[in-house]
Each structure stands twice: as structure tokens, then as C-alpha cells.
Amino acid sequence: MRLSRYFLPVLKENPSEAQIVSHRLMLRAGMIKQASAGIYSWLPLGFKVLRKIENIVHEEQARAGHMPMLMPTIQSAELWRESGRYDAYGAEMLRFKDRHDRDMLFTPTAEELITDIFRANVSSYKDLPLTMYQIQWKFRDEIRPRFGVMRGREFLMKDGYNFDLTKEDALHAYNRHLVTYLRTYERMGLQAIPMRADSGPIGGDDTHEFLVLAETGESEVFYDSAVTDLKFGDREIDYDSVEDCAAVMEEFTDKYARTDETHDAALFEQVPEDRRRVARGIEVGQIFYFGTKYSEPLGAVVQGPDGKQVPVHMGSHGIGVSRLLGAIIEANHDENGIIWPEGVTPFHVGIVNLRQGDEATDGACEALYKALKAKGFDPLYDDRDERAGGKFAAMDLIGLPWRITVGPRGLKNGVVELTSRRTGESVELTAEAAVDRIA
Ligand code: ATP
Ligand code: MG
Ligand code: MG
Ligand code: MG
């Protein structure tokens, strides 16, 4: 992409409405624009990162055999009356009527909808286990939308649902989701710690939230510092193996890590004092096992191996896809701007032309741009007629992992400059060597 043709409305000044750094940087880097309170348009740069995050989520769900699907954003109130949640859900649910005076709502979560799909189509244990998920916009009329996409009213969520014959099978699905989530967050350059949590309006006893530690997080968390040493890494895992998934669950949840809702001061005391931590975190996901809470009232039953009709055991699992942009920036920035982790960066590398209009420099930049594309990279070429200082500031702000600076002086010696956004280190080398180094 050539920056002269890209839509990147960068702001020079700090927007006064943004209280936290990720919100400030997303506005300044021209990633989002507020449409109304807690509702955002995604401009090309922000949308590009959102899509990268979605892709990682899809790939990790596919790895575990979970099936993507899509349900509507608008639902009728009927199913929610059947499950008993219509009155219980409260003011966060946006309710309205259609022209025929029917009660409608904007989906805040989709347990009822998917259970209805299940009950209409599945009647035998032989069709289990089954896990389907979607990445779809949700609406919750949050009392205090704030911090940009972190607490929006409209937000993008991955929500997945498992249907199993027994509690044991459903707990395997729970553990399997924990594994997929650990991999998902790590690929985005994030450490998200599973913590025992409260289930809220989804219901059920077994639930873990995934928290990214950050001072600006809205949750208070208590944990044993040993949990921060755990890494999933690139280990191979058999998602169908009950033992494999249970072992990961055990490893990642046997140490003390809880949100304030479930915090137990007496248990926390048992953690060695030098490892006790009280901090703040951003909730980027949550997994639930809630048994037959929805299958019973909605009649999602199957015939078991013994011929008896039994309600299925279910769980649901959410990832805050749009919130993740904020969380990633909170964890990866400096005073000059964003520092994208490689896995989610909107472009791999930026090319800065120091003398736009100079024939040799323009030619070298064009050649470099083509060479990078030929190698499968997605470069952003700053070909604007701007001062070098302004170009560097824009590149630092949007935070691509690599910058290649091309100017007449270097070219005389046959070199360009390759700079790492994260370390700030620069090296001079030939354009070919710079392309090779980026891989
Ligand atoms: P919170 O405690 O932050 O209100 P939640 O527990 O109500 O979140 P869940 O029902 O667990 O949310 O939804 C799954 C995920 O969706 C959350 O872990 C979070 O990452 C994301 N999410 C929830 N509410 C919002 C919101 N208002 N804006 C952006 N993301 C959200
Ligand atoms: Mg909430
Ligand atoms: Mg929560
Ligand atoms: Mg939650």
C-alpha cells in the first residue's frame, strides 16, 4: 500500500476524550472513529488489525475442530422468555419493537439462539460432541462505555458453544477451549492468565476469565507470581485427548489466580508472601461450563446410548475480539506510539522515502516495495511529499515492526537503513539484505 493513497487520518494532538493510552493511540493513528457513545467505525488501519485478530481466532478454533457459523445480530424475545433470561438480563440488553409490535433485541450473547438450532436438528448422542462458534457483533447497553473499544456498547465477540452428552465430555470441551485460548492470545503477543471468576448472567459454576495484566485494567486480580512464568509455546497437542487437555488445564490453573469476585483472602495467604501479587487486568475472554442450564428449559435433549432422553451438557466461550486491540496496545507501546506484535501488525514493514521526487531515491523505493511484495510481505510505502521528521513520527505512531529508510546519502554507498520499532536498533545494509533480514 502507498501511503499517498491510503486513508490514514493521523491526529497530531492528543484527543482530550481519551483517558487511556490505547484509546489515545487508536484515535491518533486513525484506526477508529466514534460514531456515538461506545459505537465505533473501523477505519482501514484499525479494520486491518481487527481482521488479523479474527484470523488468528479462526485458525486456532479450526485446529481444535470447532466449526465456524454465523447467527443474526437481531433476535426475537421469544427464546429468551423460554430460557427465563428475558427479564433477568436487565438494562444491558437493548430491546425494541418491530413494526408488528413484536419484542426484538440486539444479541448480547447467543446461548438461546444456538440451543434452538441444536434442538431443531440433533436428536441422538451419535451426533455429539459438537462445538460451533461465530465471530459476530454484539450489543450491550453498558452503563459507562469508555476506554474506546475496550468497553464499547457495540463490540465484536467470538462466542463458541459446545454440546456434549455427559458432564465429563463437556469438561473436556472446557479444557480444550482453554488450550485454544492460550494459543490464540500468545500468537497475538499477549500473556492472558486464566483466573477463576464469577459467571455473571451466563450462569454455571465452572468458569475462568483470561486476563491481561495492565494498570488500566478494570478488574482487580490476585495471583501467585509463578503463573506469569507459564508459556504454552509451540507444543503439539491432541485436542481429542482428554488427558492432554486436562494436563494443560491443571498446569495453568493450579496456582492461585482469581478476580476480586472470587478472591479468597485465606487461600491467598497460603501463597508464599514474596509471590503474592495484587494488580489490575483486562478481561479478554472467558470460558464457561454450565451443564443443562439452557438445554433443560429449551428442551435440547438427545437419545442416549441406553435409549433414554437426556438434556445435553453445554458450555460457552467468549473472546473479546475488538477489545483485544485495546489490550494489545496497552501491553505494546512506548511514548512515540504503538509497537505491534508481528502476529497482528497491519503491515509488516514501512518504507520511508527521505527525498520524494529524487529520481534515484524514488526508484530504489519502488524496487524495494516490489521486492517485499514479491516475498509475500505487506509493506506500507510512505511516498508522501513530507519532511523526514513527519514521516518518522507517523511510522512510530502506527508501530510497524520494521522500518526501511531510503535516502540519497545511503544510496550513494549502496545501503538503506533497517530499524526495529521495538528495540530502536538500526543497521545499514543493502536493500536485498534488508528484505532478507525481515523474514
Ligand atoms: P466485562 O466483565 O468486561 O463486562 P463480561 O464478563 O460481561 O465482560 P463476557 O460475557 O464474558 O463479558 O463476554 C466475553 C468477552 O467479550 C469478554 O471477556 C470481553 O473480552 C468481551 N466484552 C464483554 N463486554 C464487552 C464490551 N462492552 N466491550 C468490548 N468487549 C467486551
Ligand atoms: Mg459485562
Ligand atoms: Mg466479566
Ligand atoms: Mg466475562
Side-chain angles (χ1 to χ4, degrees), residues 64 66 168-169 171-180 182 232 235-253:
H66 302 162
E168 290 67 44
D169 292 349
L171 287 176
H172 170 55
Y174 184 82
N175 297 344
R176 196 174 64 229
H177 278 87
L178 178 115
V179 177
T180 67
L182 290 172
F232 188 81
R235 51 180 114 168
E236 289 292 323
I237 183 129
D238 176 359
Y239 288 94
D240 291 332
S241 161
V242 172
E243 294 74 27
D244 277 19
C245 294
V248 176
M249 169 61 80
E250 172 72 16
E251 178 185 346
F252 280 82
T253 60

mmCIF file of all heavy atoms in Angstrom, residues 64 66 168-169 171-180 182 232 235-253:
data_model
loop_
_atom_site.group_PDB
_atom_site.id
_atom_site.type_symbol
_atom_site.label_atom_id
_atom_site.label_comp_id
_atom_site.label_asym_id
_atom_site.label_seq_id
_atom_site.Cartn_x
_atom_site.Cartn_y
_atom_site.Cartn_z
ATOM 1 N N ALA A 64 -8.753 -27.049 16.665
ATOM 2 C CA ALA A 64 -9.415 -27.911 17.645
ATOM 3 C C ALA A 64 -10.674 -28.564 17.083
ATOM 4 O O ALA A 64 -11.394 -29.262 17.800
ATOM 5 C CB ALA A 64 -9.757 -27.091 18.893
ATOM 6 N N HIS A 66 -13.380 -26.989 15.908
ATOM 7 C CA HIS A 66 -14.613 -26.232 16.161
ATOM 8 C C HIS A 66 -15.077 -25.582 14.865
ATOM 9 O O HIS A 66 -14.273 -25.087 14.095
ATOM 10 C CB HIS A 66 -14.364 -25.157 17.231
ATOM 11 C CG HIS A 66 -13.858 -25.729 18.521
ATOM 12 N ND1 HIS A 66 -13.229 -24.966 19.482
ATOM 13 C CD2 HIS A 66 -13.878 -26.996 19.008
ATOM 14 C CE1 HIS A 66 -12.897 -25.737 20.512
ATOM 15 N NE2 HIS A 66 -13.278 -26.972 20.251
ATOM 16 N N GLU A 168 -18.613 -35.065 31.923
ATOM 17 C CA GLU A 168 -17.191 -35.314 31.659
ATOM 18 C C GLU A 168 -16.804 -34.828 30.267
ATOM 19 O O GLU A 168 -15.765 -34.189 30.083
ATOM 20 C CB GLU A 168 -16.853 -36.815 31.770
ATOM 21 C CG GLU A 168 -16.905 -37.388 33.177
ATOM 22 C CD GLU A 168 -18.331 -37.404 33.747
ATOM 23 O OE1 GLU A 168 -19.275 -37.797 33.016
ATOM 24 O OE2 GLU A 168 -18.496 -37.001 34.921
ATOM 25 N N ASP A 169 -17.653 -35.147 29.295
ATOM 26 C CA ASP A 169 -17.372 -34.704 27.919
ATOM 27 C C ASP A 169 -17.357 -33.171 27.842
ATOM 28 O O ASP A 169 -16.526 -32.577 27.158
ATOM 29 C CB ASP A 169 -18.434 -35.224 26.941
ATOM 30 C CG ASP A 169 -18.358 -36.746 26.777
ATOM 31 O OD1 ASP A 169 -17.371 -37.348 27.254
ATOM 32 O OD2 ASP A 169 -19.301 -37.316 26.182
ATOM 33 N N LEU A 171 -16.678 -31.114 30.217
ATOM 34 C CA LEU A 171 -15.481 -30.577 30.882
ATOM 35 C C LEU A 171 -14.250 -30.743 29.988
ATOM 36 O O LEU A 171 -13.346 -29.912 30.012
ATOM 37 C CB LEU A 171 -15.268 -31.237 32.248
ATOM 38 C CG LEU A 171 -16.284 -30.771 33.303
ATOM 39 C CD1 LEU A 171 -16.093 -31.531 34.617
ATOM 40 C CD2 LEU A 171 -16.214 -29.258 33.548
ATOM 41 N N HIS A 172 -14.251 -31.788 29.180
ATOM 42 C CA HIS A 172 -13.174 -31.906 28.188
ATOM 43 C C HIS A 172 -13.243 -30.738 27.205
ATOM 44 O O HIS A 172 -12.220 -30.122 26.864
ATOM 45 C CB HIS A 172 -13.259 -33.243 27.441
ATOM 46 C CG HIS A 172 -12.337 -33.329 26.262
ATOM 47 N ND1 HIS A 172 -10.983 -33.114 26.365
ATOM 48 C CD2 HIS A 172 -12.583 -33.558 24.949
ATOM 49 C CE1 HIS A 172 -10.425 -33.223 25.164
ATOM 50 N NE2 HIS A 172 -11.377 -33.487 24.287
ATOM 51 N N ALA A 173 -14.457 -30.411 26.773
ATOM 52 C CA ALA A 173 -14.625 -29.265 25.862
ATOM 53 C C ALA A 173 -14.138 -27.980 26.534
ATOM 54 O O ALA A 173 -13.511 -27.123 25.900
ATOM 55 C CB ALA A 173 -16.091 -29.125 25.444
ATOM 56 N N TYR A 174 -14.405 -27.859 27.813
ATOM 57 C CA TYR A 174 -13.972 -26.688 28.589
ATOM 58 C C TYR A 174 -12.443 -26.592 28.574
ATOM 59 O O TYR A 174 -11.863 -25.556 28.252
ATOM 60 C CB TYR A 174 -14.507 -26.857 30.012
ATOM 61 C CG TYR A 174 -14.256 -25.710 30.964
ATOM 62 C CD1 TYR A 174 -15.095 -24.600 30.958
ATOM 63 C CD2 TYR A 174 -13.223 -25.756 31.894
ATOM 64 C CE1 TYR A 174 -14.904 -23.560 31.859
ATOM 65 C CE2 TYR A 174 -13.015 -24.718 32.791
ATOM 66 C CZ TYR A 174 -13.865 -23.617 32.775
ATOM 67 O OH TYR A 174 -13.671 -22.594 33.667
ATOM 68 N N ASN A 175 -11.803 -27.720 28.881
ATOM 69 C CA ASN A 175 -10.332 -27.744 28.887
ATOM 70 C C ASN A 175 -9.768 -27.482 27.497
ATOM 71 O O ASN A 175 -8.759 -26.794 27.335
ATOM 72 C CB ASN A 175 -9.823 -29.097 29.392
ATOM 73 C CG ASN A 175 -10.228 -29.356 30.827
ATOM 74 O OD1 ASN A 175 -10.621 -28.435 31.546
ATOM 75 N ND2 ASN A 175 -10.150 -30.617 31.255
ATOM 76 N N ARG A 176 -10.428 -28.057 26.494
ATOM 77 C CA ARG A 176 -9.975 -27.878 25.110
ATOM 78 C C ARG A 176 -10.027 -26.393 24.726
ATOM 79 O O ARG A 176 -9.129 -25.872 24.081
ATOM 80 C CB ARG A 176 -10.894 -28.695 24.201
ATOM 81 C CG ARG A 176 -10.373 -28.939 22.803
ATOM 82 C CD ARG A 176 -11.302 -29.869 22.054
ATOM 83 N NE ARG A 176 -12.616 -29.278 21.852
ATOM 84 C CZ ARG A 176 -13.769 -29.877 22.117
ATOM 85 N NH1 ARG A 176 -13.811 -31.125 22.574
ATOM 86 N NH2 ARG A 176 -14.913 -29.248 21.924
ATOM 87 N N HIS A 177 -11.088 -25.721 25.155
ATOM 88 C CA HIS A 177 -11.180 -24.287 24.868
ATOM 89 C C HIS A 177 -10.079 -23.515 25.574
ATOM 90 O O HIS A 177 -9.530 -22.566 25.015
ATOM 91 C CB HIS A 177 -12.561 -23.742 25.256
ATOM 92 C CG HIS A 177 -13.587 -23.986 24.201
ATOM 93 N ND1 HIS A 177 -14.324 -25.145 24.141
ATOM 94 C CD2 HIS A 177 -13.955 -23.240 23.132
ATOM 95 C CE1 HIS A 177 -15.131 -25.084 23.083
ATOM 96 N NE2 HIS A 177 -14.927 -23.944 22.454
ATOM 97 N N LEU A 178 -9.757 -23.918 26.796
ATOM 98 C CA LEU A 178 -8.657 -23.240 27.488
ATOM 99 C C LEU A 178 -7.381 -23.329 26.656
ATOM 100 O O LEU A 178 -6.672 -22.330 26.470
ATOM 101 C CB LEU A 178 -8.438 -23.858 28.872
ATOM 102 C CG LEU A 178 -7.272 -23.251 29.646
ATOM 103 C CD1 LEU A 178 -7.752 -22.523 30.892
ATOM 104 C CD2 LEU A 178 -6.226 -24.288 30.020
ATOM 105 N N VAL A 179 -7.109 -24.516 26.103
ATOM 106 C CA VAL A 179 -5.906 -24.687 25.285
ATOM 107 C C VAL A 179 -5.959 -23.768 24.053
ATOM 108 O O VAL A 179 -5.000 -23.054 23.757
ATOM 109 C CB VAL A 179 -5.747 -26.157 24.831
ATOM 110 C CG1 VAL A 179 -4.534 -26.296 23.915
ATOM 111 C CG2 VAL A 179 -5.622 -27.084 26.038
ATOM 112 N N THR A 180 -7.113 -23.755 23.368
ATOM 113 C CA THR A 180 -7.198 -22.913 22.157
ATOM 114 C C THR A 180 -7.000 -21.442 22.520
ATOM 115 O O THR A 180 -6.389 -20.695 21.760
ATOM 116 C CB THR A 180 -8.553 -23.064 21.413
ATOM 117 O OG1 THR A 180 -9.611 -22.544 22.214
ATOM 118 C CG2 THR A 180 -8.845 -24.507 21.051
ATOM 119 N N LEU A 182 -5.263 -20.171 25.111
ATOM 120 C CA LEU A 182 -3.858 -19.888 25.446
ATOM 121 C C LEU A 182 -3.058 -19.659 24.173
ATOM 122 O O LEU A 182 -2.286 -18.707 24.056
ATOM 123 C CB LEU A 182 -3.254 -21.046 26.246
ATOM 124 C CG LEU A 182 -3.765 -21.224 27.680
ATOM 125 C CD1 LEU A 182 -3.209 -22.527 28.273
ATOM 126 C CD2 LEU A 182 -3.390 -20.041 28.562
ATOM 127 N N PHE A 232 2.595 -21.347 26.896
ATOM 128 C CA PHE A 232 2.131 -22.514 26.151
ATOM 129 C C PHE A 232 3.134 -22.877 25.061
ATOM 130 O O PHE A 232 3.431 -24.046 24.820
ATOM 131 C CB PHE A 232 0.744 -22.278 25.542
ATOM 132 C CG PHE A 232 0.185 -23.530 24.953
ATOM 133 C CD1 PHE A 232 -0.425 -24.464 25.759
ATOM 134 C CD2 PHE A 232 0.333 -23.805 23.609
ATOM 135 C CE1 PHE A 232 -0.903 -25.652 25.237
ATOM 136 C CE2 PHE A 232 -0.138 -24.995 23.067
ATOM 137 C CZ PHE A 232 -0.760 -25.914 23.887
ATOM 138 N N ARG A 235 4.039 -26.114 21.700
ATOM 139 C CA ARG A 235 3.868 -27.552 21.921
ATOM 140 C C ARG A 235 2.711 -28.116 21.090
ATOM 141 O O ARG A 235 1.736 -27.422 20.820
ATOM 142 C CB ARG A 235 3.687 -27.869 23.407
ATOM 143 C CG ARG A 235 2.636 -27.060 24.097
ATOM 144 C CD ARG A 235 2.524 -27.428 25.578
ATOM 145 N NE ARG A 235 2.924 -26.334 26.461
ATOM 146 C CZ ARG A 235 2.696 -26.329 27.770
ATOM 147 N NH1 ARG A 235 2.119 -27.353 28.355
ATOM 148 N NH2 ARG A 235 3.077 -25.310 28.516
ATOM 149 N N GLU A 236 2.875 -29.354 20.688
ATOM 150 C CA GLU A 236 1.825 -30.040 19.920
ATOM 151 C C GLU A 236 0.835 -30.620 20.916
ATOM 152 O O GLU A 236 1.215 -31.137 21.952
ATOM 153 C CB GLU A 236 2.438 -31.182 19.110
ATOM 154 C CG GLU A 236 3.284 -30.727 17.939
ATOM 155 C CD GLU A 236 2.452 -30.061 16.854
ATOM 156 O OE1 GLU A 236 1.313 -30.529 16.639
ATOM 157 O OE2 GLU A 236 2.945 -29.084 16.257
ATOM 158 N N ILE A 237 -0.432 -30.537 20.565
ATOM 159 C CA ILE A 237 -1.415 -31.094 21.478
ATOM 160 C C ILE A 237 -2.489 -31.840 20.693
ATOM 161 O O ILE A 237 -2.889 -31.415 19.620
ATOM 162 C CB ILE A 237 -2.023 -29.980 22.358
ATOM 163 C CG1 ILE A 237 -2.998 -30.544 23.380
ATOM 164 C CG2 ILE A 237 -2.718 -28.928 21.536
ATOM 165 C CD1 ILE A 237 -2.702 -30.075 24.756
ATOM 166 N N ASP A 238 -2.907 -32.956 21.245
ATOM 167 C CA ASP A 238 -4.003 -33.709 20.636
ATOM 168 C C ASP A 238 -5.287 -33.217 21.306
ATOM 169 O O ASP A 238 -5.563 -33.526 22.458
ATOM 170 C CB ASP A 238 -3.790 -35.209 20.886
ATOM 171 C CG ASP A 238 -4.960 -36.032 20.355
ATOM 172 O OD1 ASP A 238 -5.924 -35.437 19.827
ATOM 173 O OD2 ASP A 238 -4.897 -37.269 20.486
ATOM 174 N N TYR A 239 -6.068 -32.444 20.553
ATOM 175 C CA TYR A 239 -7.261 -31.827 21.127
ATOM 176 C C TYR A 239 -8.331 -32.849 21.501
ATOM 177 O O TYR A 239 -9.219 -32.556 22.294
ATOM 178 C CB TYR A 239 -7.840 -30.789 20.167
ATOM 179 C CG TYR A 239 -6.994 -29.532 20.076
ATOM 180 C CD1 TYR A 239 -6.031 -29.381 19.084
ATOM 181 C CD2 TYR A 239 -7.147 -28.506 21.003
ATOM 182 C CE1 TYR A 239 -5.252 -28.241 19.008
ATOM 183 C CE2 TYR A 239 -6.376 -27.360 20.943
ATOM 184 C CZ TYR A 239 -5.435 -27.233 19.939
ATOM 185 O OH TYR A 239 -4.664 -26.105 19.887
ATOM 186 N N ASP A 240 -8.242 -34.033 20.911
ATOM 187 C CA ASP A 240 -9.217 -35.065 21.254
ATOM 188 C C ASP A 240 -8.830 -35.835 22.507
ATOM 189 O O ASP A 240 -9.622 -36.614 23.026
ATOM 190 C CB ASP A 240 -9.367 -36.056 20.090
ATOM 191 C CG ASP A 240 -10.039 -35.401 18.899
ATOM 192 O OD1 ASP A 240 -10.824 -34.456 19.124
ATOM 193 O OD2 ASP A 240 -9.763 -35.809 17.756
ATOM 194 N N SER A 241 -7.600 -35.622 22.959
ATOM 195 C CA SER A 241 -7.141 -36.363 24.125
ATOM 196 C C SER A 241 -7.585 -35.682 25.412
ATOM 197 O O SER A 241 -7.182 -34.557 25.715
ATOM 198 C CB SER A 241 -5.613 -36.493 24.090
ATOM 199 O OG SER A 241 -5.142 -36.796 25.387
ATOM 200 N N VAL A 242 -8.413 -36.395 26.159
ATOM 201 C CA VAL A 242 -8.904 -35.872 27.438
ATOM 202 C C VAL A 242 -7.729 -35.571 28.360
ATOM 203 O O VAL A 242 -7.676 -34.518 29.005
ATOM 204 C CB VAL A 242 -9.859 -36.904 28.088
ATOM 205 C CG1 VAL A 242 -10.227 -36.490 29.515
ATOM 206 C CG2 VAL A 242 -11.114 -37.074 27.234
ATOM 207 N N GLU A 243 -6.745 -36.492 28.384
ATOM 208 C CA GLU A 243 -5.607 -36.338 29.292
ATOM 209 C C GLU A 243 -4.754 -35.127 28.914
ATOM 210 O O GLU A 243 -4.353 -34.345 29.782
ATOM 211 C CB GLU A 243 -4.714 -37.589 29.289
ATOM 212 C CG GLU A 243 -5.372 -38.843 29.859
ATOM 213 C CD GLU A 243 -6.410 -39.459 28.905
ATOM 214 O OE1 GLU A 243 -6.276 -39.264 27.668
ATOM 215 O OE2 GLU A 243 -7.362 -40.095 29.384
ATOM 216 N N ASP A 244 -4.471 -34.978 27.610
ATOM 217 C CA ASP A 244 -3.645 -33.848 27.157
ATOM 218 C C ASP A 244 -4.250 -32.514 27.575
ATOM 219 O O ASP A 244 -3.574 -31.647 28.113
ATOM 220 C CB ASP A 244 -3.515 -33.852 25.627
ATOM 221 C CG ASP A 244 -2.422 -34.798 25.146
ATOM 222 O OD1 ASP A 244 -2.038 -35.694 25.931
ATOM 223 O OD2 ASP A 244 -1.968 -34.635 23.987
ATOM 224 N N CYS A 245 -5.535 -32.358 27.286
ATOM 225 C CA CYS A 245 -6.185 -31.079 27.583
ATOM 226 C C CYS A 245 -6.297 -30.854 29.087
ATOM 227 O O CYS A 245 -6.088 -29.744 29.578
ATOM 228 C CB CYS A 245 -7.561 -31.008 26.918
ATOM 229 S SG CYS A 245 -7.460 -30.991 25.106
ATOM 230 N N ALA A 246 -6.590 -31.913 29.826
ATOM 231 C CA ALA A 246 -6.705 -31.791 31.284
ATOM 232 C C ALA A 246 -5.358 -31.414 31.902
ATOM 233 O O ALA A 246 -5.302 -30.639 32.866
ATOM 234 C CB ALA A 246 -7.222 -33.093 31.888
ATOM 235 N N ALA A 247 -4.279 -31.944 31.315
ATOM 236 C CA ALA A 247 -2.949 -31.635 31.862
ATOM 237 C C ALA A 247 -2.631 -30.150 31.682
ATOM 238 O O ALA A 247 -2.054 -29.515 32.577
ATOM 239 C CB ALA A 247 -1.887 -32.493 31.171
ATOM 240 N N VAL A 248 -3.018 -29.591 30.546
ATOM 241 C CA VAL A 248 -2.776 -28.152 30.325
ATOM 242 C C VAL A 248 -3.622 -27.329 31.294
ATOM 243 O O VAL A 248 -3.144 -26.374 31.918
ATOM 244 C CB VAL A 248 -3.089 -27.754 28.863
ATOM 245 C CG1 VAL A 248 -2.924 -26.248 28.677
ATOM 246 C CG2 VAL A 248 -2.194 -28.514 27.889
ATOM 247 N N MET A 249 -4.873 -27.721 31.445
ATOM 248 C CA MET A 249 -5.749 -27.029 32.395
ATOM 249 C C MET A 249 -5.123 -27.034 33.796
ATOM 250 O O MET A 249 -5.008 -25.995 34.449
ATOM 251 C CB MET A 249 -7.122 -27.716 32.419
ATOM 252 C CG MET A 249 -8.050 -27.293 33.537
ATOM 253 S SD MET A 249 -8.503 -25.554 33.522
ATOM 254 C CE MET A 249 -9.781 -25.517 32.287
ATOM 255 N N GLU A 250 -4.667 -28.204 34.212
ATOM 256 C CA GLU A 250 -4.065 -28.359 35.533
ATOM 257 C C GLU A 250 -2.842 -27.437 35.667
ATOM 258 O O GLU A 250 -2.712 -26.672 36.622
ATOM 259 C CB GLU A 250 -3.678 -29.841 35.707
ATOM 260 C CG GLU A 250 -2.861 -30.175 36.941
ATOM 261 C CD GLU A 250 -3.670 -30.101 38.227
ATOM 262 O OE1 GLU A 250 -4.914 -30.084 38.135
ATOM 263 O OE2 GLU A 250 -3.038 -30.047 39.306
ATOM 264 N N GLU A 251 -1.977 -27.511 34.660
ATOM 265 C CA GLU A 251 -0.739 -26.723 34.722
ATOM 266 C C GLU A 251 -1.022 -25.219 34.816
ATOM 267 O O GLU A 251 -0.356 -24.504 35.561
ATOM 268 C CB GLU A 251 0.094 -27.018 33.462
ATOM 269 C CG GLU A 251 1.378 -26.216 33.379
ATOM 270 C CD GLU A 251 2.124 -26.444 32.050
ATOM 271 O OE1 GLU A 251 1.782 -27.405 31.327
ATOM 272 O OE2 GLU A 251 3.017 -25.647 31.747
ATOM 273 N N PHE A 252 -2.032 -24.754 34.086
ATOM 274 C CA PHE A 252 -2.270 -23.314 34.016
ATOM 275 C C PHE A 252 -3.234 -22.793 35.074
ATOM 276 O O PHE A 252 -3.443 -21.593 35.165
ATOM 277 C CB PHE A 252 -2.751 -22.919 32.611
ATOM 278 C CG PHE A 252 -1.615 -22.797 31.623
ATOM 279 C CD1 PHE A 252 -1.090 -23.924 30.999
ATOM 280 C CD2 PHE A 252 -1.050 -21.563 31.351
ATOM 281 C CE1 PHE A 252 -0.032 -23.819 30.103
ATOM 282 C CE2 PHE A 252 0.001 -21.444 30.464
ATOM 283 C CZ PHE A 252 0.523 -22.572 29.836
ATOM 284 N N THR A 253 -3.860 -23.700 35.835
ATOM 285 C CA THR A 253 -4.836 -23.188 36.815
ATOM 286 C C THR A 253 -4.614 -23.708 38.233
ATOM 287 O O THR A 253 -5.430 -23.433 39.107
ATOM 288 C CB THR A 253 -6.287 -23.532 36.393
ATOM 289 O OG1 THR A 253 -6.424 -24.952 36.314
ATOM 290 C CG2 THR A 253 -6.649 -22.910 35.061
#
